[in-house]
């Protein structure tokens, strides 16, 4: 059924004869864009199991970000009425997570929620004046001199102070209800390891890059930072994940976003889909690099180590909590090692570092869903259930995955090796991005490792080590010998087999290496790479990957 075709039930011409519960209270969700829809989907579960309620949706009339809304509503199974029909019906409760359009024409008591981390943006989109805070200013809250919302939901009492200055007549409509998204994120904290497993993080540090949308966002002002972080952070020590605002994909298409970052994705970047996964990634992250978007605020509120890639101070109301966070958090600078900056700042970070700003983002900790449910039930004139509503943790992330032939079983890697006694330190970086990081230049142990199924054959022509994933052959050494024959520039061939690494040299020497607990045994192949003025790896050595150490063993094959 087309979203532009009027419903005949549970509202419309056949509502009385075809509705299973024709006397149920009518709840209407007014959807302005994907972001507001996701916020509404966060709160409507408080009405689950309420047989006296029928919930419908309508798409706002003039939003620029509506293309994906219809598909999401259809996927969720939510009946959707066209805007023209919604204006002709009466509702018992209307929920919106954005202002604007013609909300004043909807027939029913309207509750407006913030669709981000509180109220922080300056002015109103398209407004004549950029003064004040969007959502708290008279210009955004009134139409023809009258308040649009029956109830204006605030996330913190601090917002009442700003509202008293900008639109005091709206104070009587306010409800301080905290932030249901922040409560859900906090509910996911016990499941941090599950989220990291879903992302394939392992024992690495997870660096979450967060970007809002538009001309002042990180992906617009500093898109190169994504590749720079990948180039500067060894892949065995760090995982880099990108979460972009849904409006980026809504405007340009999800394919386009991945196309922009295709080189980075081939080099190991983990890209999250636009709607779900970012909440869980915030829980899973060790470091967040963001901008003025809400994800940065949520991460800082959790106490996660948070830095800035860019920050559009000009887009924010100066007296807002996010503007205060932008004045507190340091910016990753160009021209010096990003890894050194990240780790140095993390070493002095503590969870309360940004509390002067983040404590003002949301109150009612853990109670947001309960406060909102009480308000909904009062409006619907229904008895509220006695039990508290369940706060469900975020869904596990399902990142986009590149598979062969887009990429081999690992990207081409530039590897550096350093030895000090029985300690062998190995760092692996994406060779495709090596021009962005010259720190390995001059290292006597520098070499290139390429997978044997690498689709770009030119990489194999310059490989020093060629790797393969053993498929269970009875004679893996014969397969490794064939690999060396096929790739004449390689000095070593290596295979991962049953938790160990098999290495064959061009001189015919066979070596087995094992390091219990090591996620990728192929990293051990680089411990065999010859370094000038250094002998072969000892039979027992310590493999060092950043701040982690693995006892390792070398035996003759």
């Amino acid at each position: 059924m087309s979203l532009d075709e009027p419903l005949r039930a549970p509202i419309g011409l056949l509502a009385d004869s075809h509705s299973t519960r024709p006397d149920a209270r009518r709840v209407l969700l007014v959807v302005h864009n994907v972001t507001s829809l996701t916020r509404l989907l966060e709160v409507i579960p408080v009405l689950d199991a309420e047989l006296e309620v029928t919930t419908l949706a309508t798409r706002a009339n003039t939003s620029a970000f509506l293309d994906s809304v219809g598909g999401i509503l259809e996927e969720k199974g939510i009946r959707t009425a066209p805007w023209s029909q919604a204006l002709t019906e009466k509702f018992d409760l209307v929920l919106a997570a954005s202002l604007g359009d013609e909300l004043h024409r909807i027939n029913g008591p309207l509750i407006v929620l913030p669709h981000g981390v509180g109220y922080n943006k300056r002015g109103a989109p398209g407004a004549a004046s950029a003064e004040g805070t969007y959502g708290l200013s008279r210009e955004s809250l009134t139409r023809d001199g009258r308040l649009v919302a029956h109830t204006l939901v605030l996330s913190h009492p601090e917002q009442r102070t700003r509202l008293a200055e900008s639109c005091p007549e709206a104070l009587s409509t306010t409800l301080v209800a905290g932030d249901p998204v922040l409560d859900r994120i906090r509910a996911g904290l016990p499941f941090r390891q599950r989220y990291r497993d879903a992302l394939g993080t392992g024992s690495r540090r997870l660096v979450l890059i967060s970007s809002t949308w538009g001309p002042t966002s990180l992906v617009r002002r500093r898109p190169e930072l994504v590749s720079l972080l990948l180039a500067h952070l060894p892949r065995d020590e760090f995982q880099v994940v990108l979460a972009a605002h849904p409006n980026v994909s809504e405007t340009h298409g999800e394919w386009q976003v991945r196309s922009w970052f295709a080189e980075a994705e081939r080099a190991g970047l983990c890209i999250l889909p636009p709607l779900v996964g970012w909440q869980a990634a915030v829980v899973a992250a060790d470091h967040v690099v963001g901008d003025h978007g809400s994800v940065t605020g949520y991460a800082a509120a959790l106490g996660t180590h948070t830095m800035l890639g860019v920050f559009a101070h000009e887009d924010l109301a100066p007296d807002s909590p996010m503007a205060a966070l932008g004045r507190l958090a340091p910016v990753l600078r160009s021209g010096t090692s990003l890894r050194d900056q990240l780790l140095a700042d993390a070493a002095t970070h503590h969870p309360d570092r940004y509390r002067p700003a983040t404590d003002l983002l949301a109150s009612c900790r853990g109670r947001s869903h309960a406060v909102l449910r009480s308000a909904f039930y009062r409006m619907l004139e229904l008895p509220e259930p006695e039990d508290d509503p369940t706060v469900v943790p975020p869904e596990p992330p399902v990142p986009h995955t590149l598979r062969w032939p887009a990429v081999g079983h690992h990207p081409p890697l530039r590897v550096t090796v350093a030895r000090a006694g029985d300690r062998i330190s190995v760092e692996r970086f994406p060779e495709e991005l090596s021009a962005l990081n010259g720190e390995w230049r001059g290292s006597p142990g520098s070499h290139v490792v390429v997978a044997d199924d690498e689709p770009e054959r030119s990489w194999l022509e310059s490989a020093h080590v060629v790797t393969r994933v053993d498929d269970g052959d009875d004679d893996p050494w014969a397969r490794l010998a064939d690999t060396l024959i096929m790739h004449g520039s390689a000095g070593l061939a290596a295979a991962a087999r049953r938790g160990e690494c098999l290495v064959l040299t061009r001189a015919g020497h066979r070596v087995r290496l094992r390091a219990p607990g090591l996620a990728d045994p192929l990293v051990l192949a680089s411990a065999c790479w010859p370094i000038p003025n250094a002998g072969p790896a000892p039979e027992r050595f310590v493999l060092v990957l950043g701040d982690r150490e693995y006892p390792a063993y070398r035996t003759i094959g």
Side-chain angles (χ1 to χ4, degrees):
M1 179 177 179
S2 170
L3 294 178
D4 297 321
E5 184 179 343
L7 297 179
R8 291 176 291 175
I11 61 173
L13 296 176
L14 303 179
D16 292 338
S17 60
H18 282 60
S19 297
T20 301
R21 301 191 69 85
D23 298 327
R25 309 293 203 275
R26 293 176 174 182
V27 175
L28 178 69
L29 311 178
V30 181
V31 181
H32 289 78
N33 47 50
V34 171
T35 312
S36 69
L37 173 56
T38 56
R39 179 57 60 112
L40 295 174
L41 293 176
E42 295 281 356
V43 301
I44 59 171
V46 301
L47 296 174
D48 280 356
E50 182 50 70
L51 297 178
E52 300 302 323
V53 167
T54 290
T55 302
L56 306 99
T58 189
R59 298 190 299 175
N61 197 29
T62 60
S63 174
F65 302 105
L66 285 173
D67 288 351
S68 299
V69 164
I72 299 169
L73 290 169
E74 185 175 1
E75 179 186 349
K76 297 292 183 182
I78 299 175
R79 296 283 279 164
T80 303
W83 180 256
S84 58
Q85 184 182 20
L87 295 181
T88 67
E89 298 284 346
K90 186 178 186 305
F91 298 94
D92 300 286
L93 173 62
V94 182
L95 299 176
S98 187
L99 290 157
D101 295 297
E102 298 178 312
L103 286 174
H104 65 290
R105 297 180 61 191
I106 296 288
N107 187 3
L110 171 66
I111 295 181
V112 175
L113 304 96
H115 65 258
V117 59
Y119 296 93
N120 297 282
K121 288 190 176 180
R122 186 195 297 265
S129 170
E131 297 303 317
T133 305
Y134 178 63
L136 300 181
S137 65
R138 176 175 282 107
E139 192 163 11
S140 57
L141 291 172
T142 63
R143 185 69 177 256
D144 300 326
R146 300 181 61 183
L147 293 171
V148 173
H150 177 281
T151 301
L152 177 66
V153 176
L154 308 178
S155 61
H156 193 280
E158 169 273 332
Q159 293 152 18
R160 287 179 54 87
T161 302
R162 287 189 279 155
L163 187 63
E165 297 177 358
S166 60
C167 189
E169 62 268 36
L171 283 172
S172 61
T173 72
T174 58
L175 171 68
V176 178
D179 189 322
V181 173
L182 183 55
D183 282 355
R184 281 198 69 203
I185 292 173
R186 285 180 171 136
L189 289 173
F191 305 101
R192 184 172 189 266
Q193 189 57 53
R194 175 174 292 198
Y195 298 148
R196 290 171 66 87
D197 290 345
L199 291 165
T201 307
S203 58
R204 295 176 292 175
R205 296 171 179 261
L206 194 159
V207 180
L208 175 63
I209 305 174
S210 168
S211 175
T212 189
W213 63 282
T216 57
S217 65
L218 187 151
V219 295
R220 172 62 182 88
R221 284 189 169 177
R222 205 177 174 191
E224 73 281 358
L225 184 59
V226 176
S227 293
L228 281 169
L229 281 166
L230 283 164
H232 281 249
L233 301 177
R235 68 179 269 119
D236 297 300
E237 301 172 45
F238 297 88
Q239 179 187 33
V240 181
V241 178
L242 174 65
H245 192 287
N247 282 357
V248 181
S249 295
E250 188 71 5
T251 303
H252 301 280
E254 199 167 348
W255 173 87
Q256 182 64 75
V257 175
R258 293 186 70 187
S259 178
W260 286 337
F261 295 102
E263 183 180 57
E265 191 174 6
R266 285 193 297 270
L269 176 67
C270 177
I271 300 179
L272 295 177
L275 294 182
V276 296
W278 69 264
Q279 301 97 327
V282 169
V283 174
D286 299 288
H287 313 274
V288 172
V289 178
D291 54 17
H292 61 288
S294 292
V295 177
T296 309
Y298 285 127
L302 286 188
T304 304
H305 174 234
T306 302
M307 299 183 73
L308 303 174
V310 298
F311 199 87
H313 295 276
E314 67 274 19
D315 284 2
L316 300 181
D319 54 354
S320 67
M322 281 299 294
L325 176 62
R327 292 188 289 269
L328 290 171
V331 178
L332 274 174
R333 305 179 308 278
S334 299
T336 185
S337 169
L338 296 181
R339 174 170 55 170
D340 290 349
Q341 291 182 66
L342 193 74
L343 294 181
D345 192 72
T348 62
H349 177 78
H350 56 86
D352 295 334
R353 179 181 186 182
Y354 302 128
R355 283 192 62 181
T358 59
D359 275 358
L360 300 179
L361 291 174
S363 60
C364 308
R365 180 168 178 170
R367 296 288 301 162
S368 182
H369 292 80
V371 174
L372 290 171
R373 187 181 71 175
S374 294
F376 297 169
Y377 271 84
R378 283 195 303 271
M379 197 78 75
L380 294 169
E381 298 182 347
L382 291 172
E384 185 180 0
E386 294 182 1
D387 296 338
D388 284 340
T390 301
V391 181
V392 180
E395 300 87 344
V398 183
H400 293 301
T401 302
L402 275 186
R403 303 185 186 280
W404 192 88
V407 69
H409 57 264
H410 65 73
L413 300 171
R414 168 66 61 172
V415 186
T416 64
V417 183
R419 294 185 188 173
D422 65 347
R423 299 169 61 82
I424 302 179
S425 300
V426 177
E427 291 183 338
R428 302 192 295 176
F429 302 91
E431 170 67 356
E432 195 167 356
L433 303 177
S434 62
L436 302 177
N437 179 10
E439 294 179 4
W440 54 264
R441 289 186 173 89
S443 169
S446 174
H447 58 278
V448 177
V449 179
V450 182
D452 69 336
D453 61 349
E454 167 59 42
E456 179 55 62
R457 306 309 290 175
S458 61
W459 289 117
L460 283 163
E461 294 172 3
S462 60
H464 301 110
V465 179
V466 176
T467 66
R468 55 183 302 273
V469 176
D470 189 77
D471 53 11
D473 284 354
D474 291 336
D475 188 1
W477 300 109
R479 291 293 301 273
L480 288 174
D482 291 342
T483 300
L484 288 175
I485 292 172
M486 291 178 61
H487 306 293
S489 66
L492 303 178
R497 180 183 173 90
R498 298 171 185 170
E500 64 181 1
C501 181
L502 308 184
V503 176
L504 180 66
T505 71
R506 191 159 289 281
H509 299 136
R510 299 177 178 183
V511 180
R512 294 178 182 266
L513 301 108
R514 177 180 290 273
L518 184 64
D520 182 6
L522 288 174
V523 72
L524 290 164
S526 293
C528 290
W529 184 253
I531 301 177
N533 303 317
E539 293 184 2
R540 292 177 178 268
F541 61 95
V542 176
L543 177 69
V544 181
L545 300 177
D547 58 1
R548 299 191 308 278
E549 298 182 352
Y550 300 88
Y553 311 91
R554 179 182 66 84
T555 58
I556 303 301

